[in-house]
Amino acid sequence: MVVIDAASPLPYIDRRTVARRAHIVLGLFCAASMVASLAIGPAGTSLWGALGQLMRGEVLSTLDQVVLRDIRLPRMVLGALVGAALAVSGAVLQGLFRNPLADPGIVGVSAGAALGATSAIVLGAMLPLAVQNIVGNALIPLAAFLGSWIVVFVLYQVATHRGRTSVITMLLGGIALAALAGACMGVLIYIADDAQLRDLTFWSLGSLGGATWIKVATAGPMIALAIVAAALLGGSLNALALGEAAAHHLGIPVQRVKRGAILCVAVATGSAVAVSGAIGFIGIVVPHLLRLSTGPDHGPLLINAALLGAAFLVWADVIARLIVAPAELPIGIITAILGAPVFLWILLRQRGSLMA
C-alpha cells in the first residue's frame, strides 16, 4: 500500500520509474528496429536465410555479402547514429533555451552544417594539396561541424542579453541565420559543376543512400562522444530550467555548461548532417513526445531521445527504401511527412502558453 503525505517523493519516484522502464522498452524497440532494417529491403536477400547459412558453416553468396555487409549494415548503423544525434541535439537545445520548440533545423543549426558541407564540396578542391592530403575524408564532416558551431555561437550571442536568453529573439535569429545560410548555398550551387550539383542535391533533401563504413568510421566516434558528453549535462540542464541565477546559486558553472552544450550540439549535428544531409523534425518531435510520457528530467530524457531518435530514423529509412522501390525517396521527405503533423499538434497544444 502506498502512503501519500506532504513529504512523500512519490511523483519524483514515479517519473524515475517510468524513465527506467522507458530505457528498457525503447532499447528493445531500437534493437528490433535495427534488426528489421537489416531484414527488410527491395533486394531479395533474406537476413534469416543468411544467418542460417552462417550457422551451418556455409559461405554466403557474393550478392548476399554485398547487400547485408556493405549496403544494409552500414546504412542501418549510420541511420541510428544520425537519428540519435539529431534527437539528442534537439533535447539539449530545448533545455539550453528552455523552450520545447528549439530544434537544430528550426534555429538554423542544420542549415549552418549544410552550408559548411556544401562549401567543402564546391570549394574543397581549391585548398592546397597538402591540406587536402592531411584532412582527407574528414574535410566535409569538419566543415559541417564548423558551420553548425558558428551558427550556434552566433545565435546564442544574438539571443542572450545581460545573462538572459530571449526565446523569440532566438527563433527569429535562427530564421535569419537559416535564410543567410540558404542564400550562401544558392551562390555555391550557382558556381558548382554538374558533378557537384548531384552531391548538393543529396544535402538539400537528406539521404542515407551513400552510407559506407568509411562514413560510419568518420562520423560515428564524434557523434558517440557528443551524445555521451550531452548525457553528462543532464543534471546541469535541469538546474538551468530554474533560470540561470538559480542554477548559479545551486553551484552549477553556468557559462561552462552553456559552452559544453553548444559544443555537443555543434559536433553531433555537424557530424550527422555531414554524412546524411539536412534531415528535419527529429530534433523537435522525439524529445517532445518523450517529455510528455517520461517527464522533463534531462538525465533519462537524453538517453531515451538517443534510443527513440535512432529507431525513428531507421524506420524512416526503411520506408524511404520501400515506398517507391526499386527507386528511393530522400529520407528528409519521409521525416517531414511524419514530423510536420506532430509539430503542428505541438503548436496547437501549446498555443495558449506561447501567446501568454
Side-chain angles (χ1 to χ4, degrees), residues 34 37-38 64-81 137-138 141 208-222 275:
M34 295 171 77
S37 175
L38 278 178
D64 288 345
Q65 290 183 33
V66 170
V67 171
L68 292 176
R69 185 192 61 196
D70 299 333
I71 297 179
R72 289 186 190 173
L73 189 57
R75 188 169 182 145
M76 177 269 289
V77 175
L78 199 65
L81 286 169
N137 292 325
L208 295 175
T212 62
W213 286 115
I214 293 177
K215 288 186 176 180
V216 173
T218 302
M222 289 194 287
V275 294

Side-chain angles (χ1 to χ4, degrees), residues 202-207 272-279:
F202 161 80
W203 296 106
S204 63
L205 296 175
S207 174
V273 174
V275 294
S276 67
I279 298 175

Side-chain angles (χ1 to χ4, degrees), residues 172-325:
L172 295 177
I175 292 171
L177 290 173
L180 180 60
C184 294
M185 289 176 64
V187 174
L188 293 170
I189 290 172
Y190 182 77
I191 64 175
D193 57 30
D194 290 342
Q196 292 168 341
L197 284 175
R198 284 194 294 271
D199 292 335
L200 293 176
T201 302
F202 161 80
W203 296 106
S204 63
L205 296 175
S207 174
L208 295 175
T212 62
W213 286 115
I214 293 177
K215 288 186 176 180
V216 173
T218 302
M222 289 194 287
I223 290 175
L225 284 174
I227 290 175
V228 171
L232 296 177
L233 295 175
S236 300
L237 291 175
N238 287 342
L240 280 177
L242 304 173
E244 294 184 10
H248 177 74
H249 289 301
L250 290 173
I252 301 298
V254 175
Q255 295 304 321
R256 192 186 308 168
V257 170
K258 288 180 182 177
R259 288 193 292 269
I262 289 173
L263 185 61
C264 289
V265 171
V267 171
T269 304
S271 302
V273 174
V275 294
S276 67
I279 298 175
F281 291 102
I282 294 178
I284 190 168
V285 170
V286 170
H288 193 80
L289 292 177
L290 289 170
R291 204 175 282 109
L292 289 175
S293 57
T294 62
D297 186 346
H298 284 85
L301 174 66
L302 292 171
I303 298 173
N304 290 332
L307 294 171
L308 186 58
F312 183 94
L313 196 58
V314 164
W315 277 112
D317 181 51
V318 171
I319 296 172
R321 279 185 281 160
L322 296 180
I323 195 168
V324 292

Side-chain angles (χ1 to χ4, degrees), residues 85-87 89-91 93-94 102-111 265 269 282-284:
L86 296 177
S89 296
L93 281 178
Q94 290 160 20
D103 167 77
I106 292 177
V107 299
V109 181
S110 297
V265 171
T269 304
I282 294 178
I284 190 168

Side-chain angles (χ1 to χ4, degrees), residues 108-117 141-153 266 270:
V109 181
S110 297
L115 175 59
L142 286 175
F145 160 70
L146 183 62
S148 62
W149 187 87
I150 291 174
V151 167
V152 173
F153 179 79

